Amino acid sequence: KALSQVLFLTTHLPVFFLRHRLRSHVLEIRHLDRAMLRLGLGQLSEEELRAACYLRGLNSTHLEMSECRAWLEQWLGLSCKLQASDASLLANSMVLLSLNYVRAKE
């Protein structure tokens, strides 16, 4: 539900439009991930690091910077190995990685 708000998805739209919008957002995140990997996570400010986590579905307000960085490193490892045709897998991974990480911390 929270991820739907981040990606501007609403159930009031037709299914084909939601599918296209979700794929578009996931591919955009994938492109950002590749750029972030080239730049390096050490170049990001605290605010940018938290925003990057949020965009990928992780609520980082209760996490330390080292935990955000570790989660993003795991995410980038997965995201940058997948092909554009694996957009569905990346979208599902976004949900699974963020939910499981939060539960592990609580």
Side-chain angles (χ1 to χ4, degrees):
K1 194 172 189 180
L3 191 57
S4 296
Q5 293 172 347
V6 170
L7 298 178
F8 304 112
L9 300 174
T10 175
T11 57
H12 303 295
L13 298 173
V15 173
F16 68 89
F17 187 72
L18 288 172
R19 188 177 303 125
H20 174 73
R21 185 178 272 188
L22 178 61
R23 180 173 168 75
S24 173
H25 284 302
V26 168
L27 292 177
E28 183 178 337
I29 289 171
R30 186 175 167 270
H31 289 299
L32 291 171
D33 290 345
R34 291 179 184 274
M36 193 181 325
L37 190 63
R38 279 187 297 249
L39 177 66
L41 293 179
Q43 301 295 318
L44 298 178
S45 69
E46 180 178 335
E47 184 178 321
E48 291 168 333
L49 199 59
R50 289 193 187 279
C53 287
Y54 179 76
L55 182 63
R56 287 151 185 85
L58 182 68
N59 180 2
S60 62
T61 56
H62 63 282
L63 299 177
E64 300 290 329
M65 284 296 91
S66 60
E67 293 171 321
C68 290
R69 189 169 279 112
W71 186 87
L72 268 177
E73 286 173 356
Q74 291 176 346
W75 170 261
L76 291 175
L78 173 65
S79 172
C80 292
K81 287 180 184 171
L82 296 176
Q83 302 297 320
S85 60
D86 298 327
S88 177
L89 177 60
L90 191 59
N92 286 304
S93 297
M94 188 181 293
V95 173
L96 293 173
L97 286 176
S98 61
L99 286 177
N100 288 331
Y101 192 78
V102 171
R103 286 189 180 153
K105 296 307 295 175
E106 291 180 345

